[in-house]
Amino acid sequence: MTTSFHPPVRTLMGPGPSDVSPRVLSAMSRPTIGHLDPEFIRMMDEVKGMLKRLFKTENELTMPVSAPGSAGMEACFVNLVEPGDKVIVCQNGVFGGRMKENVQRFGGECILIEDEWGKPVDIEKVKAAFAENTDVKALAFVHAETSTGVRSDAKALCELARNNGALAIVDAVTSLGGIEVDVDGWGVDAIYSGTQKCLSCPPGISPVSFSEKAVEAVKNRKTPVPSWFLDKNLVMGYWGGSGKRAYHHTAPVNSLYALHEALVILEEEGLENAWKRHEKYHRALKAGLEAMGISFLVDEESRLPQLNSVVIPEGVDDAAVRTALLQNYSLEIGAGLGALAGKVWRIGLMGTACSQRNVMLCLDALENTLAGMNAPINIGVAAQAAAAVLAE
């Protein structure tokens, strides 16, 4: 007979999901109530308010989509892209490629800007694309590319879109809560994220926000939104303003308790303090890894503190190291994707996982594992280098 499942306790330092706070896990276990219960609706309003502060926006259409970050992405594209619409898509990793697929699946004309994986989006290439193409409906790009750990200049890219009369669609799945995201200040029109990265919440919810300009574009579509579930015209009857809510779908009640608690924790810390924490422990991890002789894929000026892509030392078996870390230390780090498979590890420092304990655990476990495999690294120096940064 099948028995209850009890997962092992892991330290999650991969590209996501990240470690979840015990407070968030506890919140999920609270009694389930109806998704139209007045108390649940009160909590929904609090979630909306906290998400608006997190995104730094006054957008009324700011809400959590009842599905993972990929559904948040699809919600942005399925509502804003119609057959024949021109969309400039910037691809410098896996997730820019998913944006391209969304544009194509909804009948849009994709104008693809490609950059080397590990490099930020080239602003000059985007300028040239706007100069060569008229009537561009939207510019789409990934702010924090999870497959490489690179940050692109969201403010400059949104300004380009605005100056050319285009909407700006932004992937903030890995950036939200870990580095600055300023929806209103940058002029973002549609943005999506996920709960399982820097919010340290279980996967399954995707915060999104649409500007008034984007809402008008949805309302003035020539064709119906092809997805019933993700149609913002419909779902706003449930997630809309105050008062009675119209039934749209059965919300994931307990998962939204978890998101509420994760957002409360973030507000207790302070958003800018969270950004500083991610930067501090990134610098400590960086010092330890570089002392060991391990280099980074991404140039320092465009490197994400919360997602560190490091080059695997020559002659080292990628999978063997990750397996040993999991088996011997119950520690998860991520493999490279696509062209970077077998060439880099992706080490996450996201949300609750971004801590001194995890930095030191990762350095110690990685050093011991690599030393046992006779890898070409410096031994006995990583912890001291990291500690020196932490003592500053």
Side-chain angles (χ1 to χ4, degrees):
M1 184 179 73
T2 303
T3 58
S4 300
F5 176 65
H6 295 279
V9 177
R10 304 286 197 206
T11 298
L12 300 179
M13 296 184 69
S18 63
D19 286 342
V20 176
S21 164
R23 280 177 57 180
V24 173
L25 292 175
S26 176
M28 289 189 75
S29 69
R30 293 170 188 163
T32 303
I33 58 177
H35 61 287
L36 293 172
D37 187 295
E39 277 300 289
F40 187 72
I41 289 170
R42 182 180 67 80
M43 188 209 70
M44 289 168 64
D45 288 338
E46 291 182 354
V47 167
K48 280 188 65 175
M50 288 188 287
L51 284 178
K52 288 167 78 169
R53 292 190 288 275
L54 176 58
F55 276 122
K56 299 184 77 172
T57 184
E58 295 298 322
N59 290 341
E60 181 56 32
L61 183 41
T62 302
M63 54 166 283
V65 173
S66 300
S70 295
M73 170 179 62
E74 190 157 317
C76 291
F77 286 96
V78 76
N79 280 277
L80 294 173
V81 177
E82 293 190 76
D85 284 346
K86 291 182 181 178
V87 181
I88 297 174
V89 175
C90 305
Q91 181 176 8
N92 59 341
V94 167
F95 295 95
R98 294 189 180 182
M99 286 182 148
K100 176 186 71 173
E101 283 194 37
N102 271 260
V103 171
Q104 293 170 337
R105 284 171 183 262
F106 301 131
E109 179 186 336
C110 181
I111 301 162
L112 188 63
I113 305 294
E114 293 185 272
D115 284 295
E116 182 183 343
W117 286 31
K119 300 293 184 185
V121 172
D122 188 326
I123 304 293
E124 295 305 316
K125 288 183 181 178
V126 179
K127 286 181 181 177
F130 273 116
E132 293 167 8
N133 296 275
T134 58
D135 302 322
V136 172
K137 173 84 170 282
L139 168 67
F141 64 91
V142 179
H143 180 211
E145 178 54 73
T146 317
S147 62
T148 64
V150 70
R151 164 175 27 194
S152 291
D153 190 340
K155 182 178 180 180
L157 288 165
C158 289
E159 184 178 6
L160 265 179
R162 184 170 61 252
N163 291 344
N164 287 276
L167 299 168
I169 303 175
V170 181
D171 177 323
V173 170
T174 297
S175 54
L176 191 66
I179 56 174
E180 183 182 18
V181 173
D182 187 354
V183 168
D184 287 358
W186 294 345
V188 177
D189 292 298
I191 190 167
Y192 57 92
S193 189
T195 50
Q196 76 278 17
K197 308 281 187 175
C198 295
L199 301 187
S200 284
C201 197
I205 302 288
S206 178
V208 301
S209 186
F210 287 67
S211 71
E212 289 185 11
K213 183 179 174 184
V215 170
E216 284 304 307
V218 178
K219 289 179 178 176
N220 294 324
R221 288 176 61 101
K222 301 180 184 69
T223 59
V225 175
S227 168
W228 179 90
F229 180 68
L230 297 174
D231 186 341
K232 292 302 157 199
N233 292 306
L234 300 177
V235 78
M236 275 307 288
Y238 180 56
W239 274 102
S242 59
K244 187 176 180 180
R245 304 297 173 89
Y247 168 67
H248 178 262
H249 67 279
T250 303
V253 172
N254 292 62
S255 292
L256 287 169
Y257 296 166
L259 175 58
H260 183 279
E261 189 68 15
L263 294 171
V264 166
I265 292 170
L266 188 55
E267 291 206 339
E268 288 172 354
E269 180 179 15
L271 187 54
E272 292 191 5
N273 290 333
W275 300 342
K276 290 175 183 176
R277 173 170 54 87
H278 283 86
E279 181 61 31
K280 173 184 176 180
Y281 290 120
H282 158 73
R283 288 191 296 106
L285 179 68
K286 169 182 176 288
L289 290 170
E290 290 183 339
M292 210 184 299
I294 294 175
S295 61
F296 282 71
L297 173 72
V298 178
D299 294 338
E300 193 160 359
E301 63 270 15
S302 52
R303 190 180 298 164
L304 292 172
Q306 67 270 46
L307 199 287
N308 300 268
S309 285
V310 299
V311 179
I312 297 172
E314 189 174 350
V316 170
D317 185 322
D318 164 32
V321 170
R322 288 185 291 103
T323 298
L325 292 175
L326 203 62
Q327 291 179 345
N328 300 330
Y329 298 91
S330 208
L331 171 66
E332 177 184 281
I333 65 172
L337 296 177
L340 296 175
K343 297 178 181 178
V344 301
W345 290 312
R346 291 179 297 153
I347 302 175
L349 280 175
M350 294 186 280
T352 300
C354 182
S355 67
Q356 180 173 328
R357 173 196 174 275
N358 281 7
V359 168
M360 303 310 283
L361 168 65
C362 182
L363 291 173
D364 182 59
L366 196 56
E367 181 181 285
N368 290 342
T369 301
L370 290 172
M373 296 178 175
N374 297 315
I377 62 164
N378 304 316
I379 298 171
V381 292
Q384 185 177 355
V389 171
L390 294 171
E392 290 175 0

